[in-house]
Short mmCIF file of all heavy atoms in Angstrom, two decimals:
data_model
loop_
_atom_site.label_atom_id
_atom_site.label_comp_id
_atom_site.label_asym_id
_atom_site.label_seq_id
_atom_site.Cartn_x
_atom_site.Cartn_y
_atom_site.Cartn_z
N MET A 766 47.74 63.73 -24.02
CA MET A 766 48.49 62.69 -23.42
C MET A 766 47.52 61.50 -23.15
O MET A 766 46.38 61.64 -22.79
CB MET A 766 49.10 63.11 -22.15
CG MET A 766 49.94 62.07 -21.31
SD MET A 766 50.63 62.77 -19.90
CE MET A 766 51.96 61.72 -19.67
N ALA A 767 48.00 60.36 -23.59
CA ALA A 767 47.12 59.17 -23.47
C ALA A 767 47.11 58.63 -22.04
O ALA A 767 48.04 58.90 -21.27
CB ALA A 767 47.67 58.05 -24.36
N ASP A 768 45.98 58.07 -21.72
CA ASP A 768 45.76 57.59 -20.27
C ASP A 768 46.41 56.11 -20.12
O ASP A 768 46.43 55.41 -21.05
CB ASP A 768 44.29 57.37 -20.07
CG ASP A 768 43.61 58.72 -19.91
OD1 ASP A 768 44.29 59.74 -19.54
OD2 ASP A 768 42.42 58.86 -20.11
N VAL A 769 46.95 55.97 -18.99
CA VAL A 769 47.39 54.55 -18.66
C VAL A 769 46.43 54.19 -17.54
O VAL A 769 46.14 54.89 -16.54
CB VAL A 769 48.83 54.65 -18.12
CG1 VAL A 769 49.31 53.19 -17.59
CG2 VAL A 769 49.73 55.05 -19.26
N THR A 770 45.95 52.96 -17.58
CA THR A 770 45.06 52.36 -16.58
C THR A 770 45.78 51.13 -15.88
O THR A 770 46.42 50.35 -16.54
CB THR A 770 43.78 51.91 -17.15
OG1 THR A 770 43.12 52.90 -17.90
CG2 THR A 770 42.88 51.33 -16.21
N ILE A 771 45.80 51.22 -14.51
CA ILE A 771 46.29 50.10 -13.74
C ILE A 771 45.10 49.48 -12.94
O ILE A 771 44.48 50.06 -12.30
CB ILE A 771 47.43 50.62 -12.84
CG1 ILE A 771 48.45 51.37 -13.68
CG2 ILE A 771 48.01 49.39 -11.96
CD1 ILE A 771 49.45 52.03 -12.68
N THR A 772 45.03 48.14 -13.23
CA THR A 772 43.95 47.44 -12.61
C THR A 772 44.45 46.19 -11.89
O THR A 772 45.04 45.38 -12.42
CB THR A 772 42.95 46.84 -13.70
OG1 THR A 772 42.55 47.94 -14.56
CG2 THR A 772 41.68 46.22 -13.11
N PRO A 773 44.24 46.25 -10.55
CA PRO A 773 44.71 45.08 -9.77
C PRO A 773 43.71 44.01 -10.08
O PRO A 773 42.50 44.08 -9.69
CB PRO A 773 44.64 45.50 -8.29
CG PRO A 773 43.94 46.78 -8.34
CD PRO A 773 43.80 47.31 -9.63
N ARG A 774 44.23 42.80 -10.57
CA ARG A 774 43.31 41.76 -10.85
C ARG A 774 43.16 40.91 -9.52
O ARG A 774 44.04 40.74 -8.81
CB ARG A 774 43.94 40.80 -11.95
CG ARG A 774 44.33 41.49 -13.20
CD ARG A 774 43.11 41.74 -14.03
NE ARG A 774 42.45 40.60 -14.46
CZ ARG A 774 42.51 40.03 -15.52
NH1 ARG A 774 43.33 40.38 -16.50
NH2 ARG A 774 41.81 38.87 -15.84
N LYS A 775 41.85 40.41 -9.40
CA LYS A 775 41.53 39.65 -8.21
C LYS A 775 42.43 38.45 -8.13
O LYS A 775 42.65 37.68 -9.07
CB LYS A 775 40.08 39.15 -8.32
CG LYS A 775 39.69 38.47 -7.05
CD LYS A 775 38.17 38.09 -7.07
CE LYS A 775 37.74 37.38 -5.73
NZ LYS A 775 36.43 37.01 -5.68
N ASN A 776 43.13 38.34 -6.94
CA ASN A 776 44.08 37.28 -6.67
C ASN A 776 45.20 37.15 -7.77
O ASN A 776 45.71 36.07 -7.96
CB ASN A 776 43.40 35.92 -6.58
CG ASN A 776 42.36 36.04 -5.43
OD1 ASN A 776 42.53 36.68 -4.47
ND2 ASN A 776 41.35 35.21 -5.63
N GLY A 777 45.55 38.20 -8.33
CA GLY A 777 46.50 38.18 -9.47
C GLY A 777 47.33 39.43 -9.66
O GLY A 777 47.45 40.30 -8.75
N PRO A 778 47.81 39.73 -10.88
CA PRO A 778 48.77 40.74 -11.07
C PRO A 778 48.13 42.13 -11.32
O PRO A 778 46.88 42.25 -11.24
CB PRO A 778 49.41 40.27 -12.45
CG PRO A 778 48.30 39.56 -13.13
CD PRO A 778 47.54 38.85 -11.98
N TYR A 779 49.05 43.19 -11.37
CA TYR A 779 48.41 44.41 -11.89
C TYR A 779 48.46 44.42 -13.39
O TYR A 779 49.43 44.09 -13.99
CB TYR A 779 49.42 45.57 -11.50
CG TYR A 779 49.42 45.81 -9.97
CD1 TYR A 779 50.55 45.54 -9.13
CD2 TYR A 779 48.31 46.52 -9.41
CE1 TYR A 779 50.58 45.74 -7.84
CE2 TYR A 779 48.35 46.82 -8.03
CZ TYR A 779 49.48 46.47 -7.26
OH TYR A 779 49.48 46.68 -5.97
N MET A 780 47.33 44.72 -13.95
CA MET A 780 47.13 44.78 -15.37
C MET A 780 47.35 46.27 -15.79
O MET A 780 46.65 47.12 -15.09
CB MET A 780 45.81 44.40 -15.91
CG MET A 780 45.63 44.49 -17.33
SD MET A 780 43.98 43.70 -17.95
CE MET A 780 42.87 44.87 -17.16
N VAL A 781 48.36 46.60 -16.58
CA VAL A 781 48.69 47.99 -16.96
C VAL A 781 48.38 48.13 -18.38
O VAL A 781 48.87 47.31 -19.33
CB VAL A 781 50.06 48.28 -16.64
CG1 VAL A 781 50.41 49.75 -16.96
CG2 VAL A 781 50.50 47.93 -15.22
N GLN A 782 47.48 49.03 -18.75
CA GLN A 782 47.10 49.24 -20.12
C GLN A 782 47.32 50.70 -20.45
O GLN A 782 47.03 51.61 -19.77
CB GLN A 782 45.62 49.01 -20.25
CG GLN A 782 45.10 47.64 -20.02
CD GLN A 782 43.57 47.42 -20.05
OE1 GLN A 782 43.02 47.78 -19.07
NE2 GLN A 782 42.98 46.94 -21.14
N GLY A 783 47.91 50.85 -21.70
CA GLY A 783 48.12 52.17 -22.30
C GLY A 783 49.53 52.33 -22.81
O GLY A 783 50.36 51.35 -22.49
N PRO A 784 49.81 53.28 -23.51
CA PRO A 784 51.11 53.56 -23.97
C PRO A 784 52.09 53.74 -22.77
O PRO A 784 51.79 54.56 -21.95
CB PRO A 784 51.11 54.81 -24.74
CG PRO A 784 49.66 55.11 -24.97
CD PRO A 784 48.87 54.37 -23.90
N LEU A 785 53.10 52.91 -22.55
CA LEU A 785 53.84 52.95 -21.36
C LEU A 785 55.32 52.64 -21.60
O LEU A 785 55.67 51.99 -22.52
CB LEU A 785 53.27 51.89 -20.26
CG LEU A 785 53.20 50.49 -20.75
CD1 LEU A 785 54.42 49.67 -20.26
CD2 LEU A 785 51.95 49.86 -20.17
N LYS A 786 56.05 53.06 -20.59
CA LYS A 786 57.47 52.62 -20.49
C LYS A 786 57.73 51.96 -19.20
O LYS A 786 57.11 52.46 -18.17
CB LYS A 786 58.46 53.91 -20.56
CG LYS A 786 58.77 54.49 -21.95
CD LYS A 786 59.88 55.45 -21.66
CE LYS A 786 60.18 56.16 -23.11
NZ LYS A 786 61.14 57.19 -22.80
N LEU A 787 58.40 50.95 -19.03
CA LEU A 787 58.70 50.30 -17.77
C LEU A 787 60.27 50.42 -17.69
O LEU A 787 60.96 49.83 -18.50
CB LEU A 787 58.24 48.80 -17.92
CG LEU A 787 58.39 48.06 -16.59
CD1 LEU A 787 57.73 48.74 -15.38
CD2 LEU A 787 57.87 46.68 -16.79
N ILE A 788 60.61 50.98 -16.65
CA ILE A 788 62.04 51.27 -16.33
C ILE A 788 62.56 50.62 -15.10
O ILE A 788 61.81 50.60 -14.12
CB ILE A 788 62.21 52.93 -16.18
CG1 ILE A 788 61.58 53.64 -17.31
CG2 ILE A 788 63.70 53.20 -16.04
CD1 ILE A 788 62.23 53.41 -18.63
N ASP A 789 63.84 50.05 -15.16
CA ASP A 789 64.27 49.41 -13.91
C ASP A 789 64.98 50.44 -13.07
O ASP A 789 65.06 51.64 -13.45
CB ASP A 789 65.19 48.18 -14.33
CG ASP A 789 66.56 48.66 -14.83
OD1 ASP A 789 66.92 49.92 -14.83
OD2 ASP A 789 67.36 47.89 -15.40
N PRO A 790 65.42 50.02 -11.80
CA PRO A 790 66.03 50.99 -10.95
C PRO A 790 67.17 51.79 -11.44
O PRO A 790 67.52 52.90 -11.06
CB PRO A 790 66.35 50.26 -9.68
CG PRO A 790 65.34 49.03 -9.71
CD PRO A 790 65.26 48.69 -11.21
N ALA A 791 67.88 51.20 -12.43
CA ALA A 791 69.10 51.87 -13.01
C ALA A 791 68.73 52.73 -14.18
O ALA A 791 69.55 53.42 -14.76
CB ALA A 791 70.02 50.83 -13.53
N GLY A 792 67.42 52.80 -14.54
CA GLY A 792 66.99 53.65 -15.60
C GLY A 792 66.88 52.97 -17.02
O GLY A 792 66.69 53.56 -18.02
N ASN A 793 67.16 51.72 -16.98
CA ASN A 793 67.08 50.92 -18.16
C ASN A 793 65.68 50.48 -18.50
O ASN A 793 64.89 50.15 -17.63
CB ASN A 793 68.04 49.65 -18.14
CG ASN A 793 69.51 50.00 -17.87
OD1 ASN A 793 69.95 50.81 -18.51
ND2 ASN A 793 69.88 49.40 -16.82
N GLU A 794 65.28 50.54 -19.77
CA GLU A 794 64.00 50.30 -20.22
C GLU A 794 63.79 48.82 -20.56
O GLU A 794 64.56 48.23 -21.33
CB GLU A 794 63.61 51.21 -21.40
CG GLU A 794 62.13 51.13 -21.80
CD GLU A 794 61.82 52.12 -22.89
OE1 GLU A 794 62.56 53.09 -23.11
OE2 GLU A 794 60.69 51.98 -23.43
N PHE A 795 62.75 48.20 -19.96
CA PHE A 795 62.32 46.96 -20.41
C PHE A 795 61.77 47.02 -21.83
O PHE A 795 61.10 47.88 -22.15
CB PHE A 795 61.23 46.36 -19.47
CG PHE A 795 61.74 46.04 -18.06
CD1 PHE A 795 61.77 46.95 -17.01
CD2 PHE A 795 62.15 44.80 -17.81
CE1 PHE A 795 62.25 46.69 -15.70
CE2 PHE A 795 62.69 44.36 -16.48
CZ PHE A 795 62.64 45.33 -15.46
N THR A 796 61.92 45.87 -22.44
CA THR A 796 61.24 45.69 -23.80
C THR A 796 59.75 45.42 -23.59
O THR A 796 59.47 44.26 -23.07
CB THR A 796 61.90 44.66 -24.66
OG1 THR A 796 63.24 45.00 -24.85
CG2 THR A 796 61.27 44.45 -25.99
N VAL A 797 58.97 46.25 -24.01
CA VAL A 797 57.52 46.12 -23.88
C VAL A 797 56.93 46.23 -25.24
O VAL A 797 56.97 47.39 -25.75
CB VAL A 797 56.83 47.05 -22.90
CG1 VAL A 797 55.33 46.97 -22.81
CG2 VAL A 797 57.44 46.86 -21.48
N GLU A 798 56.34 45.21 -25.77
CA GLU A 798 55.89 45.25 -27.26
C GLU A 798 54.44 45.49 -27.34
O GLU A 798 54.04 45.69 -28.55
CB GLU A 798 56.41 43.98 -27.91
CG GLU A 798 57.90 43.77 -27.98
CD GLU A 798 58.44 42.54 -28.55
OE1 GLU A 798 57.51 41.70 -28.80
OE2 GLU A 798 59.61 42.41 -28.68
N GLU A 799 53.74 45.50 -26.28
CA GLU A 799 52.31 45.73 -26.34
C GLU A 799 51.87 46.81 -25.38
O GLU A 799 52.63 47.10 -24.45
CB GLU A 799 51.51 44.41 -26.17
CG GLU A 799 51.93 43.33 -27.12
CD GLU A 799 51.02 42.06 -26.93
OE1 GLU A 799 49.89 42.22 -26.58
OE2 GLU A 799 51.57 40.96 -27.37
N ASP A 800 50.71 47.25 -25.60
CA ASP A 800 50.09 48.30 -24.69
C ASP A 800 49.39 47.79 -23.52
O ASP A 800 48.60 48.38 -22.89
CB ASP A 800 49.19 49.30 -25.47
CG ASP A 800 50.05 50.22 -26.28
OD1 ASP A 800 51.30 50.27 -26.12
OD2 ASP A 800 49.40 50.95 -27.16
N ILE A 801 49.65 46.46 -23.30
CA ILE A 801 49.08 45.89 -22.03
C ILE A 801 50.05 44.95 -21.48
O ILE A 801 50.75 44.08 -22.15
CB ILE A 801 47.74 45.10 -22.39
CG1 ILE A 801 47.10 44.53 -21.10
CG2 ILE A 801 47.87 44.05 -23.37
CD1 ILE A 801 45.64 44.05 -21.20
N ILE A 802 50.32 45.07 -20.14
CA ILE A 802 51.33 44.17 -19.47
C ILE A 802 50.66 43.87 -18.14
O ILE A 802 49.77 44.49 -17.64
CB ILE A 802 52.68 44.86 -19.28
CG1 ILE A 802 52.61 45.98 -18.46
CG2 ILE A 802 53.35 45.04 -20.69
CD1 ILE A 802 54.01 46.67 -18.03
N PHE A 803 51.21 42.71 -17.57
CA PHE A 803 50.79 42.21 -16.33
C PHE A 803 51.98 42.14 -15.30
O PHE A 803 53.01 41.44 -15.59
CB PHE A 803 50.18 40.83 -16.39
CG PHE A 803 48.97 40.81 -17.32
CD1 PHE A 803 49.08 40.77 -18.64
CD2 PHE A 803 47.69 41.11 -16.68
CE1 PHE A 803 47.89 40.75 -19.42
CE2 PHE A 803 46.54 41.01 -17.44
CZ PHE A 803 46.61 40.97 -18.84
N LEU A 804 51.94 42.94 -14.23
CA LEU A 804 53.07 43.14 -13.29
C LEU A 804 52.80 42.21 -12.05
O LEU A 804 51.59 42.33 -11.48
CB LEU A 804 53.34 44.51 -12.94
CG LEU A 804 53.69 45.41 -14.13
CD1 LEU A 804 53.84 46.87 -13.60
CD2 LEU A 804 55.05 45.04 -14.68
N CYS A 805 53.66 41.40 -11.67
CA CYS A 805 53.59 40.57 -10.44
C CYS A 805 53.30 41.48 -9.23
O CYS A 805 54.00 42.47 -9.09
CB CYS A 805 54.89 39.66 -10.34
SG CYS A 805 54.78 38.69 -8.86
N ARG A 806 52.42 41.00 -8.39
CA ARG A 806 52.30 41.58 -7.08
C ARG A 806 52.24 40.53 -5.97
O ARG A 806 52.08 40.85 -4.79
CB ARG A 806 51.15 42.55 -6.92
CG ARG A 806 49.68 41.98 -7.10
CD ARG A 806 48.68 42.97 -6.89
NE ARG A 806 47.35 42.48 -7.05
CZ ARG A 806 46.27 42.79 -6.37
NH1 ARG A 806 46.42 43.65 -5.39
NH2 ARG A 806 45.15 42.17 -6.66
N CYS A 807 52.38 39.26 -6.36
CA CYS A 807 52.55 38.19 -5.38
C CYS A 807 53.93 38.03 -4.93
O CYS A 807 54.15 37.35 -3.91
CB CYS A 807 51.88 36.94 -5.99
SG CYS A 807 53.01 36.09 -7.06
N GLY A 808 54.93 38.35 -5.73
CA GLY A 808 56.37 38.14 -5.34
C GLY A 808 56.87 36.80 -5.72
O GLY A 808 58.06 36.63 -5.48
N GLU A 809 56.10 35.97 -6.39
CA GLU A 809 56.60 34.62 -6.69
C GLU A 809 56.96 34.46 -8.19
O GLU A 809 57.52 33.41 -8.51
CB GLU A 809 55.54 33.62 -6.36
CG GLU A 809 55.16 33.61 -4.87
CD GLU A 809 56.34 33.04 -4.00
OE1 GLU A 809 57.10 32.25 -4.39
OE2 GLU A 809 56.56 33.73 -2.90
N SER A 810 56.89 35.47 -8.95
CA SER A 810 57.21 35.24 -10.49
C SER A 810 58.68 34.96 -10.60
O SER A 810 59.49 35.70 -9.98
CB SER A 810 56.76 36.60 -11.14
OG SER A 810 57.19 36.47 -12.56
N GLU A 811 58.99 34.21 -11.54
CA GLU A 811 60.38 33.94 -11.87
C GLU A 811 60.84 34.91 -13.03
O GLU A 811 61.94 34.86 -13.47
CB GLU A 811 60.54 32.55 -12.42
CG GLU A 811 60.29 31.51 -11.39
CD GLU A 811 61.32 31.24 -10.48
OE1 GLU A 811 62.49 31.35 -10.78
OE2 GLU A 811 61.00 30.82 -9.30
N ASN A 812 59.94 35.79 -13.36
CA ASN A 812 60.21 36.66 -14.44
C ASN A 812 59.84 38.15 -14.07
O ASN A 812 59.15 38.86 -14.72
CB ASN A 812 59.40 36.36 -15.72
CG ASN A 812 59.81 37.06 -16.93
OD1 ASN A 812 60.94 37.57 -17.05
ND2 ASN A 812 58.85 37.31 -17.82
N LYS A 813 60.20 38.40 -12.81
CA LYS A 813 59.84 39.87 -12.32
C LYS A 813 60.43 40.95 -13.19
O LYS A 813 61.49 40.71 -13.72
CB LYS A 813 60.37 40.07 -10.89
CG LYS A 813 59.59 39.22 -9.92
CD LYS A 813 60.17 39.33 -8.51
CE LYS A 813 59.57 38.42 -7.50
NZ LYS A 813 60.25 37.12 -7.59
N PRO A 814 59.76 42.04 -13.43
CA PRO A 814 58.62 42.49 -12.72
C PRO A 814 57.29 41.87 -13.37
O PRO A 814 56.18 42.29 -12.98
CB PRO A 814 58.56 44.04 -12.88
CG PRO A 814 59.24 44.20 -14.15
CD PRO A 814 60.30 43.11 -14.27
N PHE A 815 57.42 41.07 -14.34
CA PHE A 815 56.15 40.56 -14.99
C PHE A 815 55.64 39.35 -14.30
O PHE A 815 56.24 38.56 -13.62
CB PHE A 815 56.48 40.18 -16.49
CG PHE A 815 57.15 41.32 -17.25
CD1 PHE A 815 58.48 41.32 -17.39
CD2 PHE A 815 56.40 42.35 -17.69
CE1 PHE A 815 59.13 42.42 -18.10
CE2 PHE A 815 56.91 43.40 -18.47
CZ PHE A 815 58.28 43.41 -18.70
N CYS A 816 54.35 39.19 -14.44
CA CYS A 816 53.59 38.04 -13.90
C CYS A 816 53.84 36.74 -14.86
O CYS A 816 53.81 36.98 -16.04
CB CYS A 816 52.16 38.39 -13.89
SG CYS A 816 51.07 36.90 -13.52
N ASP A 817 54.15 35.78 -14.17
CA ASP A 817 54.38 34.46 -14.99
C ASP A 817 53.32 33.45 -14.71
O ASP A 817 53.45 32.30 -15.02
CB ASP A 817 55.78 33.94 -14.85
CG ASP A 817 56.03 33.33 -13.47
OD1 ASP A 817 55.10 33.47 -12.56
OD2 ASP A 817 57.11 32.82 -13.21
N GLY A 818 52.28 33.81 -13.84
CA GLY A 818 51.26 32.86 -13.54
C GLY A 818 51.46 32.22 -12.23
O GLY A 818 50.63 31.39 -11.73
N ALA A 819 52.60 32.38 -11.55
CA ALA A 819 52.94 31.73 -10.24
C ALA A 819 51.93 32.06 -9.12
O ALA A 819 51.75 31.39 -8.23
CB ALA A 819 54.30 32.11 -9.88
N HIS A 820 51.24 33.17 -9.28
CA HIS A 820 50.27 33.58 -8.23
C HIS A 820 49.11 32.43 -8.06
O HIS A 820 48.58 32.36 -7.05
CB HIS A 820 49.53 34.92 -8.62
CG HIS A 820 48.86 35.09 -9.87
ND1 HIS A 820 49.55 35.31 -11.11
CD2 HIS A 820 47.55 34.67 -10.23
CE1 HIS A 820 48.75 35.28 -12.13
NE2 HIS A 820 47.39 34.83 -11.59
N ARG A 821 48.89 31.80 -9.20
CA ARG A 821 47.81 30.74 -9.11
C ARG A 821 48.24 29.58 -8.20
O ARG A 821 47.39 29.01 -7.50
CB ARG A 821 47.53 30.29 -10.53
CG ARG A 821 46.97 31.25 -11.45
CD ARG A 821 46.54 30.57 -12.78
NE ARG A 821 46.37 31.69 -13.71
CZ ARG A 821 47.20 31.87 -14.70
NH1 ARG A 821 48.28 31.17 -14.90
NH2 ARG A 821 46.96 33.01 -15.63
N SER A 822 49.53 29.20 -8.20
CA SER A 822 49.94 28.06 -7.50
C SER A 822 50.47 28.44 -6.08
O SER A 822 50.50 27.49 -5.24
CB SER A 822 51.02 27.34 -8.26
OG SER A 822 52.18 28.12 -8.41
N CYS A 823 50.73 29.68 -5.74
CA CYS A 823 51.21 30.12 -4.49
C CYS A 823 50.14 30.46 -3.48
O CYS A 823 50.39 30.72 -2.27
CB CYS A 823 52.28 31.18 -4.65
SG CYS A 823 51.62 32.87 -4.92
N GLY A 824 48.93 30.52 -4.03
CA GLY A 824 47.80 30.86 -3.02
C GLY A 824 47.63 32.35 -2.78
O GLY A 824 47.10 32.71 -1.76
N PHE A 825 48.18 33.18 -3.74
CA PHE A 825 48.07 34.65 -3.43
C PHE A 825 46.60 34.97 -3.53
O PHE A 825 45.88 34.54 -4.24
CB PHE A 825 48.84 35.28 -4.61
CG PHE A 825 48.75 36.88 -4.45
CD1 PHE A 825 49.35 37.55 -3.52
CD2 PHE A 825 48.09 37.60 -5.39
CE1 PHE A 825 49.24 38.91 -3.44
CE2 PHE A 825 47.94 38.83 -5.42
CZ PHE A 825 48.59 39.61 -4.41
N GLU A 826 46.22 35.75 -2.45
CA GLU A 826 44.93 36.30 -2.29
C GLU A 826 44.84 37.82 -2.20
O GLU A 826 45.63 38.37 -1.31
CB GLU A 826 44.16 35.63 -1.19
CG GLU A 826 43.88 34.25 -1.35
CD GLU A 826 43.05 33.60 -0.19
OE1 GLU A 826 42.63 34.35 0.54
OE2 GLU A 826 42.98 32.35 -0.14
N ALA A 827 44.20 38.56 -2.98
CA ALA A 827 44.09 40.02 -2.89
C ALA A 827 42.74 40.42 -3.75
O ALA A 827 42.75 40.04 -4.86
CB ALA A 827 45.30 40.71 -3.45
N ASP A 828 41.93 41.00 -3.03
CA ASP A 828 40.71 41.46 -3.72
C ASP A 828 40.63 42.91 -3.43
O ASP A 828 39.81 43.35 -2.71
CB ASP A 828 39.56 40.66 -3.16
CG ASP A 828 38.18 40.89 -3.99
OD1 ASP A 828 38.39 41.57 -5.06
OD2 ASP A 828 37.13 40.49 -3.47
N THR A 829 41.50 43.65 -4.09
CA THR A 829 41.57 45.14 -3.97
C THR A 829 40.43 45.87 -4.67
O THR A 829 40.18 45.64 -5.86
CB THR A 829 42.98 45.58 -4.55
OG1 THR A 829 43.90 44.78 -3.90
CG2 THR A 829 43.22 47.07 -4.21
N THR A 830 39.75 46.64 -3.95
CA THR A 830 38.66 47.43 -4.50
C THR A 830 38.92 48.93 -3.99
O THR A 830 39.54 49.24 -3.15
CB THR A 830 37.35 46.97 -3.92
OG1 THR A 830 37.22 47.16 -2.53
CG2 THR A 830 36.95 45.58 -4.35
N ALA A 831 38.31 49.78 -4.94
CA ALA A 831 38.49 51.23 -4.66
C ALA A 831 37.35 51.82 -3.72
O ALA A 831 37.42 52.99 -3.35
CB ALA A 831 38.43 52.00 -5.96
N GLY A 832 36.33 51.02 -3.53
CA GLY A 832 35.20 51.57 -2.74
C GLY A 832 34.86 50.80 -1.50
O GLY A 832 35.50 49.98 -0.96
S1 LIG B 1557 51.01 38.16 -9.69
FE1 LIG B 1557 51.26 36.59 -11.16
S2 LIG B 1557 53.14 35.72 -10.74
FE2 LIG B 1557 52.93 37.11 -9.14
#
C-alpha cells in the first residue's frame, strides 16, 4: 500500500501527496488528476475543499508543527 502524506503548509493549505481519493459527504468522488492536492484550511476558498489561494488575502495564520 502506498503512503499518503499530509503536510500543513505555513499559513496555507494542507498539501496531500500520494495516490488518493477525495470523497464528499454523500460518497461522491471528486475528480483528482494528480497525486498532489491542496486542501483549504482557512475556510475562505471559493473552490472548497480545494485551496484557491484566498488564504493569502484573508490573513490566515497557522504555523502547525509536530514537535
Ligand atoms: S487555505 Fe488556501 S484558500 Fe484556504
Side-chain angles (χ1 to χ4, degrees):
M766 182 176 206
D768 290 335
V769 173
T770 302
I771 303 172
T772 307
R774 305 286 299 261
K775 184 176 181 179
N776 302 330
Y779 290 110
M780 181 175 66
V781 184
Q782 294 174 284
L785 58 94
K786 275 188 184 179
L787 183 60
I788 308 294
D789 74 10
N793 301 306
E794 187 171 345
F795 288 92
T796 300
V797 175
E798 296 177 354
E799 299 188 27
D800 283 349
I801 182 169
I802 61 172
F803 296 87
L804 297 177
C805 178
R806 65 176 176 142
C807 75
E809 296 297 320
S810 175
E811 298 282 328
N812 189 31
K813 294 181 186 80
F815 302 102
C816 170
D817 69 356
H820 59 271
R821 293 187 199 102
S822 58
C823 76
F825 178 69
E826 293 183 12
D828 191 8
T829 308
T830 60

